[in-house]
Amino acid sequence: MSLTKLTTSALAIAAVSATAAAARDQVQVAGSSTVLPYASIVAEAFGENFDFPTPVVESGGSSAGLKRFCEGVGENTIDVANASRKIKEKEIKVCAENGVTDIIEVRVGYDGIVFASDINGETFAFTPTDWYKALSETLVMDGKVVANPYTMWNEVNADFPAQPIQAYVPGTKHGTREVFEDKVILAGCEATGDFEVFLAAATGDSDKAKKKAAEKACIALRTDGKSVDIDGDYTETLARIESNKDGIGVFGLAFYENNTDKLQVATMSGVVPSTESIATGEYPVSRPLFFYVKKAHIGVIPGLKEYAEFFVADEIAGPDGPLAEYGLVSDPELAETQETVSGEAVMGGGS
């Protein structure tokens, strides 16, 4: 660590120490709407079982939470960022520029991304190709790149019903969106062979730049109303489906499992999404869930480390804990995560 960064960090920590105790005594958490229900369960149980105030947990999306997390060190910044994806290098850089140099990465378990519709509607058995053909802004037809012409699901796949395409997908500030783009839309683009056409037409000063341009072309979603970004949480997506019975939404598995009286879930590549199929790796659209802790706030914000340790304790995040009951797939390497938290091991191998 450079002297400049060390000095900045030391001054920031000193500022926290001088003001935090008087300013607030609650752990503050923000970020992923997927992690939100798990963090809320933990926060409530923490408040009931410890002599610390119940942590304040807010949503807003992974990107929004990490942006707030990286604003700096001090009582006016959050302590924990929830994320349904790993923190990006560019976010780590912004954190460091703002004095947030020691970050503890905590993987809490796994979740699946599912595709659900009205419980009384048509049933679907999807592949990534179906979603790519339904939602991509452009497709390759007869060797030419054209605007997506499809308006009905049976035009995408003859086995599907003659139902208007209407999809509700997470907005770009959500970590779920990035996993959806990578594991569904991009995968479908590659499966159809369209990626190679986009790659051949891509411009750039390196193979890496051309590949990135081709990927961007693949994952660009249509803007004609057939694909609608949802910036709120999954309850907003559910509300859209309740008002439009033809709608199909992208959800986290846990949310679907807690709304089976309203939703039916589609298979993906022939696999039914479940905690079991995610745990075995059979279900193709799953991802790890994380939260990030600002080490500089440990020992300053009351209960921060205790909250983090409680979150990943066997009785909470283990296979028989309340998070698993809600739908979290327990991490088989939970013991290693517990050691990371107890030892305050930061990203990059430090402590």
Side-chain angles (χ1 to χ4, degrees):
M1 181 182 291
S2 70
L3 180 60
T4 301
K5 283 185 177 179
L6 180 60
T7 302
T8 301
S9 181
L11 289 172
I13 294 171
V16 175
S17 300
T19 61
R24 66 175 167 93
D25 59 358
Q26 282 180 302
V27 173
Q28 292 188 350
V29 184
S32 167
S33 58
T34 299
V35 181
L36 174 67
Y38 302 121
S40 297
I41 290 170
V42 175
E44 184 177 349
F46 182 77
E48 292 173 351
N49 290 278
F50 288 80
D51 291 328
F52 297 107
T54 301
V56 177
V57 183
E58 300 175 353
S59 187
S62 299
S63 296
L66 286 164
K67 181 179 180 180
R68 289 180 61 186
F69 183 82
C70 290
E71 286 176 351
V73 175
E75 57 85 17
N76 60 330
T77 65
I78 64 172
D79 312 302
V80 177
N82 294 328
S84 58
R85 59 166 175 79
K86 288 181 72 71
I87 189 172
K88 299 176 181 178
E89 286 299 323
K90 63 181 181 181
E91 290 168 331
I92 294 173
K93 183 179 179 182
V94 171
C95 267
E97 290 171 349
N98 292 329
V100 185
T101 54
D102 290 331
I103 302 169
I104 302 171
E105 180 180 74
V106 185
R107 188 176 64 208
V108 298
Y110 292 82
D111 185 38
I113 295 176
V114 307
F115 306 86
S117 54
D118 183 76
I119 193 169
N120 296 314
E122 300 283 356
T123 59
F124 287 84
F126 290 120
T127 65
T129 295
D130 298 324
W131 277 88
Y132 166 69
K133 292 173 68 175
L135 298 194
S136 184
E137 183 176 46
T138 57
L139 300 170
V140 178
M141 293 184 168
D142 298 323
K144 297 180 180 179
V145 178
V146 300
N148 193 329
Y150 299 132
T151 61
M152 306 289 286
W153 278 109
N154 65 328
E155 296 170 345
V156 169
N157 185 327
D159 292 331
F160 289 166
Q163 177 172 310
I165 296 171
Q166 183 61 76
Y168 301 110
V169 304
T172 55
K173 68 180 180 179
H174 292 284
T176 305
R177 172 61 169 264
E178 296 182 30
V179 180
F180 172 67
E181 290 174 344
D182 182 52
K183 294 198 172 187
V184 181
I185 303 299
L186 180 58
C189 183
E190 293 171 340
T192 60
D194 286 11
F195 177 81
E196 295 302 325
V197 177
F198 289 132
L199 184 61
T203 58
D205 54 9
S206 67
D207 289 343
K208 183 178 180 180
K210 291 179 181 178
K211 182 181 178 183
K212 189 173 182 179
E215 290 176 348
K216 186 176 181 180
C218 281
I219 65 175
L221 301 187
R222 60 200 301 177
T223 57
D224 58 359
K226 298 297 183 184
S227 177
V228 177
D229 283 8
I230 302 298
D231 290 329
D233 59 21
Y234 295 133
T235 57
E236 181 181 345
T237 307
L238 176 59
R240 294 294 188 100
I241 291 174
E242 288 177 333
S243 65
N244 182 350
K245 300 302 183 181
D246 288 333
I248 301 176
V250 179
F251 298 93
L253 173 66
F255 185 89
Y256 158 70
E257 289 188 333
N258 282 276
N259 288 277
T260 53
D261 58 328
K262 301 173 183 176
L263 295 169
Q264 61 172 311
V265 72
T267 58
M268 177 56 73
S269 300
V271 181
V272 177
S274 67
T275 54
E276 292 76 16
S277 62
I278 291 170
T280 61
E282 185 182 8
Y283 186 69
V285 196
S286 62
R287 65 323 183 33
L289 304 179
F290 303 89
F291 66 84
Y292 293 88
V293 179
K294 203 171 291 180
K295 185 175 179 179
H297 285 197
I298 291 178
V300 177
I301 302 300
L304 175 56
K305 183 174 181 179
E306 290 83 354
Y307 166 77
E309 289 180 321
F310 184 65
F311 202 129
V312 297
D314 289 338
E315 60 267 31
I316 298 297
D320 298 319
L323 302 190
E325 290 180 10
Y326 192 86
L328 183 75
V329 178
S330 182
D331 191 339
E333 298 179 356
L334 188 60
E336 287 85 343
T337 299
Q338 292 166 352
E339 291 178 5
T340 295
V341 176
S342 63
E344 300 178 18
V346 301
M347 297 178 66
S351 61

